[in-house]
Amino acid sequence: MENAVFEADVTAGPQGNPRVLWISFLAFSLGFAVWGMFSALAPFLIKWYDFSATQVLVLASMEPFFAAAVSIPLGILTDKFGGRTVFTLLLLGLTIILFSGLFAQGYYAFLLLGSLLGLGGASFVVGNAHVSSWYPKSKQGIALGIFAMGNIGITVGMVTVTFLVTRVLHGPDGWRLTFPIFAISTLLMALIYWFFTSDSPHNQHKGDSVREIVAVYRSGVLVWLVPYLYWASFGTLTFFASAMPIYLLDQWHVDAAQASMLYTPLLVVCVAITRPLGGWLADRFDPLRILARLFGIMVVLAVVMTMQISLQVELFAIYGLALLSGAAAAAVVKLIPVYFRHVGAVSGLAKAAGAACGFTMTVTLAASKHLLGSYTFGFAIWALMNGAALYIALSRVGFRHAKPVIEAIPVHEAIPVH
């Protein structure tokens, strides 16, 4: 695998930067809070604008769709120009988009606005590369796991939006004031990020050309297998965060406010709290062995969820998937700096896959309901995707001949090289 792996220089490598880690965590949390806005608004749009469940599912899928589209170029730009510059510009872009929400009218305008707000979800790519550049390989699992807890920002966004809409911002268009409220937050965070973070002096590829960075996508099958594993792990969050409010409302007649303020935010919390654990385990053991065990249980839970036995059983399966997927996503993220020099570019591809999963599976679920009258087929597809991830982790296809960084995996757990 040309240009895919490298040997770490332990003596000259970075030792960590808590300030960058925690500010990146806060900025990422805010980006995900913005990303969660339309998932929270979706059930209310059914009532306000007489949209169908299928229309609102498509609307909710636009944010992960746009996040997928911009993640790869954002990753490349981060490798080229550094996380401080790119994250600051991303936050300023979100500020402009949020203010434009005051003027959106009609379904297609909401589709466009919802798509652009997906930029908040793509902030993961920038922060992931920025944080990883400051930490040695032996500590990147836990550092990136802490950073990735910013997933909990979706909960903050959904609860805040629902609270403002139901308790504070009254009147026919009062809900629109949620956009400038969030816009002020992103503007302040942009200023904090610019003035209080810095780029790592250990980032060795800021001088690389875009062509050199993009070459990683031609380095072999591994650069595509890792994003698929992220599709199946992080995709649990992007899929259910987009679809869960509408699904619970339509299938189980759960109150719209309860779906947005309780059930879906709890899903996000479940994903977030296990990410540091997954990163910690991946620092100490073979990440693929961990992934095989996690995906094995996830396949079982996905099949249970497909049966839709009762609301209680469905919630048990969904939250179980969320807990396991958070740890699995952290283990997958650990693989990226282990095997690839250009962390931003590969993180962008992985994030694009995870976000695309949210879009693709939400649309698949909507199509299943619209064409077949139930959600069963859509959930069955999800179970099969988890099964494919289990096969990759168990068989180690694509990984057996790839040489990991020596310090990244303990010797007794290292993957043999033939």
Side-chain angles (χ1 to χ4, degrees):
M1 279 181 42
E2 249 181 72
N3 300 323
V5 296
F6 68 100
E7 299 292 336
D9 185 348
V10 180
T11 59
Q15 298 304 309
N17 190 322
R19 176 185 287 185
V20 168
L21 172 60
W22 290 108
I23 293 179
S24 297
F25 162 76
L26 292 174
F28 174 44
S29 299
L30 180 57
F32 258 49
V34 171
W35 197 19
M37 290 181 69
F38 257 79
S39 290
L41 288 172
F44 297 100
L45 293 177
I46 294 177
K47 178 174 64 175
W48 295 334
Y49 292 91
D50 199 29
F51 295 154
S52 68
T54 300
Q55 283 180 305
V56 176
L57 277 170
V58 172
L59 179 60
S61 72
M62 287 296 102
E63 287 173 308
F65 172 77
F66 188 75
V70 299
S71 287
I72 294 176
L74 278 176
I76 295 170
L77 290 172
T78 303
D79 278 339
K80 177 70 176 173
F81 299 107
R84 175 173 173 254
T85 299
V86 177
F87 215 141
T88 301
L89 291 175
L90 183 151
L91 290 165
L92 290 175
L94 276 177
T95 301
I96 297 171
I97 295 166
L98 284 163
F99 274 120
S100 71
L102 286 167
F103 311 104
Q105 294 286 349
Y107 184 70
Y108 293 105
F110 288 138
L111 279 177
L112 176 61
L113 177 62
S115 298
L116 295 177
L117 290 179
L119 187 62
S123 62
F124 168 82
V125 178
V126 185
N128 189 73
H130 196 187
V131 171
S132 67
S133 69
W134 274 107
Y135 282 83
K137 301 296 176 293
S138 59
K139 297 179 181 178
Q140 282 181 346
I142 185 64
L144 295 176
I146 292 172
F147 163 74
M149 281 199 305
N151 293 155
I152 204 169
I154 293 183
T155 295
V156 176
M158 297 188 72
V159 171
T160 301
V161 167
T162 306
F163 175 78
L164 290 174
V165 168
T166 58
R167 304 290 179 86
V168 180
L169 304 177
H170 302 294
D173 284 322
W175 66 274
R176 292 182 183 276
L177 294 177
T178 56
F179 294 116
I181 290 173
F182 276 82
I184 293 171
S185 300
T186 56
L187 177 59
L188 291 175
M189 184 55 70
L191 296 174
I192 292 171
Y193 212 93
W194 180 254
F195 288 108
F196 293 98
T197 70
S198 57
D199 286 319
S200 171
H202 305 283
N203 185 354
Q204 300 175 357
H205 14 271
K206 282 186 68 175
D208 290 359
S209 68
V210 172
R211 177 177 294 182
E212 289 173 317
I213 296 172
V214 171
V216 71
Y217 300 133
R218 302 191 300 272
S219 61
V221 69
L222 192 62
V223 77
W224 302 100
L225 290 175
V226 170
Y228 181 80
L229 293 175
Y230 202 66
W231 166 293
S233 53
F234 184 73
T236 300
L237 174 61
T238 59
F239 174 25
F240 288 109
S242 296
M244 194 172 177
I246 299 96
Y247 169 65
L248 293 178
L249 173 68
D250 184 57
Q251 178 70 17
W252 302 103
H253 310 295
V254 173
D255 177 71
Q258 191 176 26
S260 294
M261 290 189 70
L262 177 61
Y263 289 118
T264 306
L266 182 57
L267 166 87
V268 181
V269 171
C270 288
V271 174
I273 62 175
T274 55
R275 291 198 72 148
L277 174 62
W280 179 82
L281 290 171
D283 277 340
R284 285 155 179 78
F285 304 102
D286 178 0
L288 287 172
R289 183 174 299 177
I290 295 169
L291 286 170
R293 294 173 181 175
L294 292 172
F295 281 124
I297 304 173
M298 288 171 67
V299 169
V300 174
L301 290 175
V303 171
V304 171
M305 183 187 64
T306 302
M307 298 176 184
Q308 301 179 83
I309 299 169
S310 67
L311 176 60
Q312 290 73 22
V313 173
E314 198 75 348
L315 291 174
F316 172 81
I318 289 173
Y319 293 138
L321 279 167
L323 288 167
L324 295 166
S325 68
V332 175
V333 168
K334 168 69 176 184
L335 291 172
I336 296 174
V338 168
Y339 288 99
F340 301 96
R341 289 184 59 242
H342 296 104
V343 175
V346 182
S347 294
L349 185 61
K351 174 61 186 182
C357 178
F359 166 75
T360 304
M361 286 308 306
T362 302
V363 171
T364 299
L365 202 64
S368 176
K369 174 65 176 179
H370 181 71
L371 298 175
L372 303 177
S374 76
Y375 295 101
T376 303
F377 178 77
F379 287 137
I381 294 294
W382 182 240
L384 290 173
M385 288 182 172
N386 278 270
L390 172 61
Y391 170 77
I392 293 171
L394 278 175
S395 69
R396 299 175 180 267
V397 58
F399 287 89
R400 289 191 174 276
H401 299 286
K403 187 179 180 183
V405 175
I406 293 174
E407 67 152 326
I409 300 175
V411 175
H412 68 282
E413 292 285 355
I415 304 169
V417 178
H418 302 289

